[in-house]
Amino acid sequence: MSTIRDILDRQAPWGIYEAGEGRVAASAAGLRMTTRNVTARCYSDAQIHDYRLRGLHLPRRPPLRISLRARFSHPAHALRGTAGFGLWNYPNLTHPVLPQTLWFFFASPPAAMELALGVPGHGWKAATMDTGRPQALTLLPFAPLAVPLMRSYAGYRMLWPGIQRCVGVQEAQLHSSMTDWHDYEIVWGERVSSLLVDGVAVLDQVPSPRGPLCFVAWVDNQYLVVTPQGRFGWGLLDAPEEQWLETSDLSFG
């Protein structure tokens, strides 16, 4: 088990990232990632992670089970920005890779990441994705044709389910209270994975992202728009109230 002191002391492999008005500190229960007095003029993020910046080493590989308890300061309708915890491959401008995720993820409006048919593009979710799979890469030459066709409802309903399977997207909207403590588990297998809340699978035996991946937990003030119809956008939100994600009992096995 990783202790809170290990993380706050930044003992290997742990790192802390604080941007803008984001802060990471010990709490009575464990560890709290907080933003406060945030405006849309500046990106703010409070984050813990276990990747190493030098060479961006991603340390996690399957099989792996991650357990933790967590709660948030606000319910889903009041939290602003994005927040969550789990595994991903840290895609960014200096590490340009196709996204792979296996995590619990929250995004507030105006975010619109409509990646799973029938699941809203914002809210509190369990989700997995692997856009670097060979099946996904074979679709790239057809994207200029598929995107315009999916701007109609009929085209979207016809084409997107197959594309969703190829990119390994599976999502489930979560209805449990975000402000109450819950036990979360991520079971990452070689071929299939599961995400559980309080011992109940909310995504069960879904295709696994390949990895390697790293663990991350965060709260920030950004939003992202990515839709099958070709809408893309990014921005920052005002979040003047104190917002936080609190975690405890983090373990890897």
Side-chain angles (χ1 to χ4, degrees):
M1 179 177 294
S2 297
T3 68
I4 301 306
R5 184 50 54 193
D6 287 339
I7 296 171
L8 292 175
D9 289 345
R10 307 190 187 205
Q11 298 296 316
W14 289 105
I16 292 175
Y17 178 69
E18 298 173 326
E21 301 302 321
R23 300 293 182 269
V24 178
S27 67
L31 189 72
R32 185 172 286 188
M33 288 144 274
T34 303
T35 64
R36 61 168 64 89
N37 300 321
V38 168
T39 75
R41 295 189 299 273
C42 176
Y43 177 62
S44 292
D45 181 26
Q47 174 182 297
I48 63 170
H49 59 81
D50 65 357
Y51 60 82
R52 299 193 193 119
L53 289 175
R54 183 174 297 175
L56 199 61
H57 175 65
L58 305 178
R60 305 296 178 181
R61 290 165 175 77
L64 177 66
R65 179 185 293 267
I66 303 173
S67 302
L68 75 157
R69 300 182 71 231
R71 65 173 180 168
F72 294 84
S73 58
H74 291 68
H77 69 270
L79 200 62
R80 300 277 289 167
T82 76
F85 42 85
L87 295 162
W88 77 328
N89 63 335
Y90 202 75
N92 59 41
L93 292 177
T94 59
H95 186 232
V97 294
L98 294 169
Q100 299 174 346
T101 64
L102 182 64
W103 59 8
F104 294 93
F105 179 84
F106 170 82
S108 70
M113 290 175 280
E114 298 167 0
L115 304 178
L117 190 67
V119 179
H122 59 268
W124 181 220
K125 308 176 186 181
T128 185
M129 172 173 55
D130 187 352
T131 57
R133 301 169 75 195
Q135 304 97 305
L137 296 177
T138 61
L139 295 176
L140 288 178
F142 303 100
L145 176 63
V147 168
L149 290 174
M150 286 191 292
R151 288 175 184 157
S152 73
Y153 180 75
Y156 170 60
R157 297 285 299 186
M158 179 178 67
L159 294 175
W160 187 248
I163 296 172
Q164 181 181 322
R165 286 192 297 273
C166 287
V167 297
V169 167
Q170 296 284 341
E171 293 185 347
Q173 194 172 15
L174 301 179
H175 301 286
S176 53
S177 169
M178 294 180 69
T179 57
D180 293 330
W181 285 107
H182 292 284
D183 295 312
Y184 296 90
E185 286 186 89
I186 299 170
V187 183
W188 183 23
E190 296 279 358
R191 298 181 62 86
V192 295
S193 298
S194 299
L195 296 172
L196 300 90
V197 180
D198 296 329
V200 177
V202 291
L203 277 184
D204 194 23
Q205 300 293 295
V206 296
S208 292
R210 292 159 301 145
L213 304 174
C214 65
F215 179 83
V216 63
W218 83 99
V219 57
D220 69 16
N221 70 322
Q222 68 177 325
Y223 71 87
L224 184 65
V225 176
V226 180
T227 74
Q229 293 77 25
R231 290 178 55 219
F232 298 95
W234 177 88
L236 301 174
L237 299 171
D238 291 324
E241 293 184 17
E242 180 176 284
Q243 300 188 148
W244 45 259
L245 161 62
E246 189 171 24
T247 64
S248 69
D249 302 334
L250 175 62
S251 66
F252 297 80

